[in-house]
């Protein structure tokens, strides 16, 4: 099996040590860093994302695969910076004010990273102003919000209001998700996309950013 394929296989199994060793070896053997990224790490993560969507793998599998991806990325990053690999886009992600659930948000971040986004994690219990301030600061394409409590869902609308008040609503692609969130709610508060899972979020985010460029 070609070394890049092996990287993808080990990543899907969550074998961080093997991924790290193989990425190091591939670089030493002169493999193109972009091919290692796209055909090894990112393609492995996409496969896991698809399986997660179909309930063929579960949250812990995705978490360990993502950890393996991050280990490989850490080896690869200095080389990608050298050759100036542009991210697909930038995303600012957080769990809304009053809400401390972050497992889903973290999965969304990993999947977005998996399709090539630069991620800025705001953490949990995030004030509406902070979403907008950070997006402006880093020049984000996407603002992503997560909520797991029906009592904190309205705070997603507060972020939309904050964007409108500053005349910035059209500047960003706004995405929301979390177990109690629905398509209907997304329409009511005027965001661009709701998706029920992290893999679909990554797919749609990539497409939406590419369409805007
Ligand atoms: C784990 C958990 C906790 C943990 C959180 C740990 C952590 N670090 O996140 C702890 C114990 C801290 C906790 C606390 C509480 N919890 Co809680 N918790 C859960 C539980 C069991 C699982 C949530 C989870 O992680 N699911 C797994 C992830 C992967 O799924 P997910 O978040 O939905 O994310 C997926 C999608 O929704 C989507 N997605 C998520 N975010 C985003 C963002 C974007 C932009 C997009 C596009 C997509 C997207 O992609 C993800 C992956 O595919 C749920 C039960 C449940 N079945 O949901 C209750 C639940 C959410 N909790 C609940 C409650 C009530 C509470 C507490 C109020 C309990 C209490 N009385 O103290 C507190 C609130 C604390 C607070 N202020 O936030 C209720 C909420 C009811 C409601 N509808 O309001 C639930 C539903 C349990 C229940 N049946 O009553 N909780």
């Amino acid at each position: 099996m070609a070394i890049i394929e092996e990287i993808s296989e080990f990543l899907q199994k969550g074998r961080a040590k093997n991924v790290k060793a193989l990425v190091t070896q591939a670089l030493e053997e002169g493999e193109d860093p972009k091919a290692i990224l796209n055909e090894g790490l990112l393609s492995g993560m996409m496969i896991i994302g698809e399986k997660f969507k179909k309930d063929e793998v579960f949250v812990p599998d995705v978490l360990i695969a993502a950890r393996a991806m991050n280990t490989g990325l850490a080896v690869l990053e200095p080389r990608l910076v050298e050759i100036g690999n542009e991210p697909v886009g930038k995303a600012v992600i957080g769990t809304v004010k009053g809400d401390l659930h972050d497992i889903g948000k973290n999965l969304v971040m990993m999947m977005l990273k998996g399709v090539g986004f630069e991620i800025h994690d705001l953490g949990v219990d995030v004030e509406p102003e902070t979403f907008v301030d950070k997006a402006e600061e880093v020049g984000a394409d996407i603002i992503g919000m997560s909520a797991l409590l029906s009592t904190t869902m309205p705070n997603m609308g507060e972020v939309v209001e904050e964007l409108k008040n500053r005349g910035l609503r059209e500047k960003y692609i706004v995405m929301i998700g979390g177990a109690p969130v629905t398509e209907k709610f997304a329409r009511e508060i005027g965001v661009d996309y709701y998706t029920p899972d992290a893999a679909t979020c990554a797919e749609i985010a990539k497409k939406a950013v590419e369409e805007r460029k």
Side-chain angles (χ1 to χ4, degrees), residues 21-35:
L22 283 167
V23 171
T24 309
Q25 188 190 333
L27 286 173
E28 280 166 6
E29 287 174 6
E31 294 283 354
D32 176 6
K34 279 190 185 170

Side-chain angles (χ1 to χ4, degrees), residues 13 16 38 72 77 105 122 151-152 179 183 201 203-204 206:
K13 292 182 190 137
N38 294 323
E77 248 159 14
K105 168 190 73 71
L122 298 173
T151 49
T152 59
E183 183 77 56
C201 170
E203 257 170 53
I204 290 186
K206 191 171 179 217

Side-chain angles (χ1 to χ4, degrees), residues 31-98:
E31 294 283 354
D32 176 6
K34 279 190 185 170
I36 301 174
L37 176 70
N38 294 323
E39 292 151 39
L41 300 174
L42 301 188
S43 101
M45 204 58 210
M46 285 297 282
I47 294 170
I48 282 291
E50 284 303 315
K51 288 188 174 167
F52 179 59
K53 226 159 71 175
K54 292 187 213 147
D55 284 337
E56 289 170 16
V57 299
F58 303 99
V59 171
D61 306 298
V62 181
L63 292 176
I64 56 163
R67 192 188 57 191
M69 179 183 73
N70 285 330
T71 311
L73 264 184
V75 180
L76 204 54
E77 248 159 14
R79 293 292 299 276
L80 291 171
V81 171
E82 266 171 40
I83 58 171
N85 194 50
E86 281 288 311
V88 165
K90 295 181 189 173
V92 164
I93 310 278
T95 302
V96 294
K97 189 171 157 55

Side-chain angles (χ1 to χ4, degrees), residues 127-193:
E127 296 284 343
E129 300 77 32
T130 309
F131 280 98
V132 183
D133 289 344
K134 192 69 183 180
E136 286 285 284
E137 181 197 320
V138 303
D141 302 281
I142 290 183
I143 296 178
M145 293 177 258
S146 183
L148 265 288
L149 299 172
S150 35
T151 49
T152 59
M153 274 166 58
N155 296 333
M156 294 174 150
E158 297 293 318
V159 176
V160 177
E161 288 312 308
E162 183 66 22
L163 282 168
K164 283 185 185 161
N165 291 341
R166 297 198 209 174
L168 297 170
R169 174 61 193 92
E170 299 310 317
K171 188 172 172 187
Y172 297 103
I173 298 162
V174 182
M175 302 186 74
I176 60 170
V181 179
T182 61
E183 183 77 56
K184 181 169 171 277
F185 177 74
R187 275 200 303 274
E188 277 166 16
I189 64 167
V191 297
D192 299 296
Y193 299 102

